[in-house]
Amino acid sequence: MLSLSALLLKLKHWLKIYNNLKKENKMFELHDKVALITGAAGGLGDKIARTLHKQGATLALTDMRAEPMEKLKAELGDRVEVFTANLTNPE
């Protein structure tokens, strides 16, 4: 399991790569890839889901709140599955 500082470093690295790609107008392809998005009912999770879906990824959305995820699934259409779960609870 990554420590918080290691996770933040990886996120910073990913954002740098993403921003460089965005500046160069190159988009990444995610066809035949599955993205697991935790916290998908929130603002950041929603935006990540939309971005990855636009690039062709199949999405597995998780959150404790089902309604916002179902709404997002309806808006995105195909290649989206919703799982209502509390991932902070190990049981």
Side-chain angles (χ1 to χ4, degrees), residues 37-68:
I37 302 168
T38 61
L44 183 58
D46 178 277
K47 298 297 183 206
I48 291 170
R50 291 175 189 279
T51 300
L52 296 179
H53 189 268
K54 185 176 179 181
Q55 298 308 320
T58 298
L59 305 180
L61 307 178
T62 64
D63 202 291
M64 293 185 293
R65 299 173 292 150
E67 189 175 319

Side-chain angles (χ1 to χ4, degrees), residues 13-65:
H13 176 73
W14 183 85
L15 287 173
K16 183 178 178 183
I17 291 170
Y18 174 77
N19 286 330
N20 287 337
L21 288 173
K22 193 173 176 182
K23 288 177 188 175
E24 297 172 10
N25 287 327
K26 294 180 185 174
M27 297 305 285
F28 48 95
E29 290 290 326
L30 296 175
H31 296 284
D32 300 322
K33 304 291 183 190
V34 177
L36 171 63
I37 302 168
T38 61
L44 183 58
D46 178 277
K47 298 297 183 206
I48 291 170
R50 291 175 189 279
T51 300
L52 296 179
H53 189 268
K54 185 176 179 181
Q55 298 308 320
T58 298
L59 305 180
L61 307 178
T62 64
D63 202 291
M64 293 185 293
R65 299 173 292 150

